[in-house]
Amino acid sequence: MNGPPPIPPRPPGYGFRASGPPLPPRPGQSRQQQDGAPPPQAPVPWGPLSYHDGRATPLMESLQAAFFARLDPQNTGTVTPEAVSAFLDVHGFATEHNTWKSNLRPNAIFQPEDLADFELKAVLEAWHLEHRVAVRHPGRPQLPHGGMPLLTPRGFADLMAVEHAGDPERAWRGINAALRYYGVWPERGPLPRACLLATGMPPEVRRRIEEAGARSRRAAAERIAASRVDVALRAEGRRHAEEISGDYYYVRRDDV
């Protein structure tokens, strides 16, 4: 025989199988590579929101910035008194602790919003909270020293830091309510109580409240004095106008 020897028969199972269980994944192969599903995300941990003296931590500042973005959808850089008031409502603040809302009352001369703006502006000034002032109703009578206060991101964060440090228990419930309502940071889950101060108001916050109260009283006294001077000057001007246009004049008792 001059030809090559015949090929021996192949044993059963020698060829590739068309069906059967899949091969095990290679080492390091993720589940996403196997079935296209994204891997489960580990919860993002929370951390402390307040320092022992009541100041906001960087995490608290980031959280308030996220809330601020929800309250300022037009990205104007400020939030209106209405938006701040609604935010406090979500937090569970009582009406008497919501300055703008509690002063939103009818008035014969001024618009209700103007009166509420006046009181909120006085609080922000007493607390040295950063804000801008705009005219809400151009062309209408304006309250002296009034205007619509617009909180900046810094002023908003400072306001909420003081509120949270002053009542940590209410802050814990309020932040969780706001997280759910505004859909902020859902990947973190509920805020643990331990992320806020364990006890009540720190001495630094109490001292700041007392200082803000003193500034508020001084400002109120100055506004009253300025209003009295303004009324007196207006009355004096009317008397002079009557003397010029009329045939009589006023005589002060100390001139007699």
Side-chain angles (χ1 to χ4, degrees):
M1 298 178 56
N2 296 326
I7 299 175
R10 298 176 179 177
Y14 180 84
F16 292 101
R17 292 175 293 179
S19 62
L23 297 175
R26 296 177 181 177
Q29 187 176 16
S30 67
R31 183 176 180 81
Q32 183 177 9
Q33 292 174 313
Q34 298 178 53
D35 53 19
Q41 297 292 328
V44 179
W46 285 95
L49 298 185
S50 300
Y51 292 116
H52 70 278
D53 59 359
R55 291 180 299 112
T57 64
L59 182 60
M60 170 73 90
E61 293 176 351
S62 298
L63 175 61
Q64 298 308 326
F67 283 137
F68 189 94
R70 294 292 195 276
L71 302 180
D72 180 28
Q74 302 301 321
N75 197 28
T76 64
T78 58
V79 290
T80 64
E82 290 90 334
V84 175
S85 177
F87 186 74
L88 297 180
D89 281 342
V90 172
H91 263 67
F93 278 67
T95 300
E96 58 266 25
H97 297 149
N98 188 333
T99 301
W100 192 84
K101 183 178 181 180
S102 63
N103 287 280
L104 192 65
R105 297 188 295 266
N107 184 272
I109 300 177
F110 303 104
Q111 296 296 307
E113 296 86 357
D114 290 331
L115 295 172
D117 289 346
F118 177 87
E119 296 296 338
L120 178 60
K121 178 173 175 286
V123 169
L124 301 183
E125 289 173 345
W127 280 88
H128 290 170
L129 299 175
E130 187 178 82
H131 64 282
R132 301 172 188 168
V133 181
V135 176
R136 182 186 286 273
H137 296 120
R140 290 182 176 271
Q142 301 294 315
L143 276 165
H145 311 285
M148 179 172 58
L150 304 171
L151 272 172
T152 65
R154 179 178 177 181
F156 177 77
D158 197 13
L159 168 66
M160 298 314 301
V162 172
E163 295 289 357
H164 294 337
D167 191 342
E169 188 68 24
R170 181 183 65 185
W172 171 60
R173 295 192 300 267
I175 291 175
N176 276 311
L179 289 171
R180 295 189 299 268
Y181 184 86
Y182 293 101
V184 168
W185 292 0
E187 69 279 4
R188 291 180 181 266
L191 173 71
R193 175 62 181 85
C195 292
L196 293 161
L197 297 177
T199 57
M201 189 182 302
E204 292 86 354
V205 175
R206 189 177 303 279
R207 181 168 58 252
R208 188 175 180 186
I209 291 175
E210 293 172 352
E211 292 171 352
R215 284 193 295 268
S216 179
R217 289 188 293 272
R218 286 196 302 270
E222 291 170 358
R223 285 194 293 268
I224 292 173
S227 297
R228 288 174 176 171
V229 171
D230 182 67
V231 170
L233 290 175
R234 290 175 183 271
E236 187 73 16
R238 286 194 298 270
R239 287 195 296 269
H240 288 168
E242 291 171 356
E243 291 175 0
I244 293 173
S245 61
D247 54 0
Y248 60 90
Y249 61 93
Y250 290 91
V251 176
R252 293 174 57 93
R253 293 185 61 88
D254 52 7
D255 292 338
V256 177

